[in-house]
Amino acid sequence: MSVKPIRILGIDPGSRVTGFGVIDVYGREHQYVASGCIKTPPAAPLPERIAVITRHLNEVVRLYRPVQAAVEQVFVNVNPAATLMLGQARGAALAALVMHDLPVFEYTALQVKQAVVGKGKAAKEQVQHMVVQMLALSGTPQSDAADGLAVALTHALRNHSLAAQLQQGGLNVKRGRFQP
Amino acid sequence: MSVKPIRILGIDPGSRVTGFGVIDVYGREHQYVASGCIKTPPAAPLPERIAVITRHLNEVVRLYRPVQAAVEQVFVNVNPAATLMLGQARGAALAALVMHDLPVFEYTALQVKQAVVGKGKAAKEQVQHMVVQMLALSGTPQSDAADGLAVALTHALRNHSLAAQLQQGGLNVKRGRFQP
């Protein structure tokens, strides 16, 4: 592992819990750095919940200094109020990332499952299991933290030539995927 | 106007345009400071649109140094995707405010219209007209900028004893309204 790693922060946004995972990518190798989840107080006023997400992600970026971020896309809910709330939580997470000038890439849940498990209809437990395998973890991370790691892994897997392209300095980004 | 003013930043979030207005409040007097609107490039990827909102609001806060922020609440749309997008834009705006440790107060469109025009069913033009009157403006601000000023005025009008309470230092905030 003499190559300089690319550090990726993966985020799984949620109105109650925002999962995050940090990995180092050395070409086709991945190494676990950190993961966790940010829980917002459900009874608190919205600005307070937004502040919890923003400040914690701010801390994560300052502490681990990722160079790229991958964020899971969220679905519209049958409940419009829940959709609005989820949107606000995700917007806050994105704001915290772009404020650090982090390039942000978006992946759907389907893309994450396909990249990590190999099929789009995988259960949450299968995602957790594959994250443990791919990062050679000694324990199973909490579900939201595992989703954060999974979206970081998705970004790494979909961009194998990441390191080479970054080293060439001629990175051309389009719709969340690197274009050769 | 020997009293030290309270500077309020009002925000009307939107997925395409975010309006803002800054006013100084001297007891029951209000003075216009600034207003404008942040337009996001509609064809750009979401993280880029979020970055535009976040960075511009960041600039507004750094430049005008408000001590409180008032943000209009948004409605769920018949289109769930539009609701999600609006939520993300509003979440980014809130994140930009709370990152500066600004206390944020929320008001519904109904509360804004009632406070500024005196009735909840007022048309957009009436809000613009009253903003011009109340701040003795020489011209009519753009509609979204006027909404930003209107929500700032709403916060001021609903908290007449703002200055007195702040000077006493015993501010007790609950659900976006000051409690005596």
Side-chain angles (χ1 to χ4, degrees):
Chain A
M1 291 200 183
S2 60
V3 191
K4 196 176 172 286
I6 312 264
R7 185 160 286 186
I8 301 171
L9 167 60
I11 307 275
D12 179 32
S15 48
R16 291 188 187 173
V17 184
T18 296
F20 68 89
V22 184
I23 62 170
D24 274 345
V25 182
Y26 304 81
R28 284 171 187 266
E29 307 272 310
H30 322 110
Q31 196 174 305
Y32 175 87
V33 177
S35 66
C37 54
I38 300 163
K39 289 181 183 163
T40 53
L46 180 67
E48 210 172 291
R49 280 180 284 162
I50 295 291
V52 168
I53 296 169
T54 313
R55 283 178 196 147
H56 277 76
L57 277 184
N58 212 19
E59 272 308 291
V60 168
V61 175
R62 280 189 193 178
L63 195 58
Y64 298 107
R65 308 205 160 277
V67 294
Q68 296 182 0
V71 182
E72 193 162 316
Q73 274 174 1
V74 293
F75 288 106
V76 299
N77 198 295
V78 284
N79 175 353
T83 301
L84 187 64
M85 185 53 225
L86 180 56
Q88 292 181 106
R90 189 173 190 268
L94 287 170
L97 301 175
V98 297
M99 238 179 258
H100 286 276
D101 290 323
L102 265 179
V104 176
F105 303 85
E106 302 186 282
Y107 298 99
T108 63
L110 189 78
Q111 286 174 318
V112 172
K113 285 172 178 177
Q114 266 167 346
V116 174
V117 183
K119 54 179 183 178
K121 291 221 167 188
K124 254 193 169 337
E125 293 70 27
Q126 282 177 286
V127 174
Q128 274 176 306
H129 175 78
M130 284 311 295
V131 165
V132 169
Q133 297 302 313
M134 290 166 82
L135 295 170
L137 303 180
S138 55
T140 304
Q142 184 269 359
S143 166
D144 299 282
D147 284 343
L149 289 166
V151 69
L153 281 166
T154 301
H155 181 58
L157 291 165
R158 287 175 66 105
N159 300 282
H160 276 318
S161 51
L162 209 64
Q165 286 184 46
L166 275 175
Q167 276 157 8
Q168 284 168 12
L171 201 59
N172 184 13
V173 177
K174 194 177 168 186
R175 287 194 197 142
R177 286 193 302 143
F178 289 91
Q179 305 293 311
Chain B
M1 292 202 183
S2 61
V3 190
K4 196 177 174 284
I6 312 262
R7 184 160 286 185
I8 299 171
L9 167 60
I11 308 274
D12 179 32
S15 48
R16 290 187 189 176
V17 183
T18 296
F20 69 88
V22 184
I23 61 169
D24 274 344
V25 182
Y26 304 81
R28 283 171 187 267
E29 308 271 310
H30 322 109
Q31 198 175 305
Y32 175 89
V33 177
S35 66
C37 53
I38 300 163
K39 287 181 184 163
T40 54
L46 179 68
E48 211 174 290
R49 281 179 282 162
I50 294 291
V52 168
I53 296 170
T54 313
R55 282 177 197 148
H56 278 76
L57 277 184
N58 212 19
E59 273 307 293
V60 168
V61 175
R62 280 190 194 177
L63 195 59
Y64 298 107
R65 307 206 161 276
V67 294
Q68 295 181 0
V71 181
E72 193 161 317
Q73 274 174 2
V74 293
F75 288 106
V76 298
N77 197 295
V78 283
N79 176 352
T83 300
L84 187 63
M85 184 53 225
L86 180 55
Q88 292 181 109
R90 189 173 191 266
L94 287 170
L97 301 175
V98 298
M99 238 179 259
H100 286 277
D101 289 322
L102 266 178
V104 177
F105 303 86
E106 301 186 282
Y107 298 100
T108 63
L110 188 79
Q111 287 174 319
V112 171
K113 286 173 178 176
Q114 264 166 349
V116 173
V117 182
K119 55 179 182 178
K121 291 219 167 189
K124 254 191 169 340
E125 292 71 26
Q126 282 177 285
V127 173
Q128 274 176 308
H129 176 77
M130 283 311 296
V131 164
V132 169
Q133 297 303 312
M134 290 166 81
L135 295 169
L137 302 179
S138 56
T140 304
Q142 184 269 358
S143 166
D144 300 283
D147 284 342
L149 289 166
V151 69
L153 281 167
T154 301
H155 182 59
L157 291 165
R158 288 174 67 105
N159 300 282
H160 277 317
S161 52
L162 208 63
Q165 287 184 47
L166 274 175
Q167 276 157 8
Q168 285 168 11
L171 201 60
N172 184 11
V173 177
K174 195 177 166 185
R175 286 192 200 145
R177 286 193 303 143
F178 288 92
Q179 307 292 313

